[in-house]
Amino acid sequence: MTGLLRAFLAVSALAFALGGCGVRGGLETPSESKTETTAEAPSGEGKPENAAPKPHKGFVLDGLLR
């Protein structure tokens, strides 16, 4: 039993140690120039203006979702 507990604690410690990897410091906000370009959709993307709506396809969990 103690061997299983030690293995679990070792795996948990390793997961927390690896989960903390990354860049130190605060979150970086996007620059204003990037937000302006992403707000405008390039031509050729998205739905055409005169497109008909797609019909609803049934799903198993529709009773819970709708």
Side-chain angles (χ1 to χ4, degrees), residues 12-37:
S12 298
L14 181 64
F16 282 117
L18 292 177
C21 293
V23 178
R24 286 188 175 186
L27 296 175
E28 297 176 4
T29 58
S31 65
E32 292 180 19
S33 62
K34 287 183 181 179
T35 56
E36 290 175 4
T37 58

Side-chain angles (χ1 to χ4, degrees), residues 6-16:
R6 284 185 183 179
F8 176 74
L9 290 175
V11 169
S12 298
L14 181 64
F16 282 117

